[in-house]
Amino acid sequence: MYILLIGYLYVILMIAVGTGSVALGGAFILFLGVLPTWLIFWLKRGGQIKKAEKCAEQAQDQRLRDEWEQQNATSAEPDANPLSVEADKTPLDKS
């Protein structure tokens, strides 16, 4: 990606040098070099930030899940989940 960008900027620089006018060359560099380069970096960085936020959120969810499992594993009752199948087992009276 960066080699393409370097090549593109080199071509824009050569076009700017070939114009013969400092103002026109500066306009070429600004509008065809700096602005598109800034846009590419801005778009790529935005995607990287979103990806990092998503990874951080998943890591936090996993940490909370691990803490919850650890608290339930160390509780006094052998089965802390009231909705489990084993909690519903009661002896049947055959009278």
Side-chain angles (χ1 to χ4, degrees):
M1 158 92 186
Y2 293 116
I3 192 72
L4 292 175
L5 184 61
I6 292 169
Y8 174 76
L9 290 175
Y10 177 76
V11 169
I12 296 302
L13 181 66
M14 290 299 111
I15 290 172
V17 169
T19 59
S21 169
V22 174
L24 188 58
F28 268 107
I29 290 175
L30 177 67
F31 291 115
L32 295 178
V34 175
L35 292 178
T37 303
W38 173 79
L39 178 65
I40 289 170
F41 280 127
W42 180 67
L43 290 173
K44 288 195 61 78
R45 185 64 185 146
Q48 290 172 345
I49 289 172
K50 287 180 185 178
K51 193 175 193 180
E53 287 174 353
K54 184 178 178 183
C55 287
E57 183 179 335
Q58 287 177 349
Q60 183 180 8
D61 289 346
Q62 183 64 37
R63 247 190 334 270
L64 292 174
R65 198 174 306 121
D66 291 344
E67 288 175 8
W68 183 82
E69 288 175 358
Q70 184 180 16
Q71 287 175 354
N72 286 339
T74 59
S75 66
E77 296 181 24
D79 187 16
N81 188 358
L83 301 176
S84 71
V85 177
E86 293 179 10
D88 292 336
K89 291 183 181 178
T90 57
L92 297 175
D93 283 33
K94 292 188 178 183
S95 303

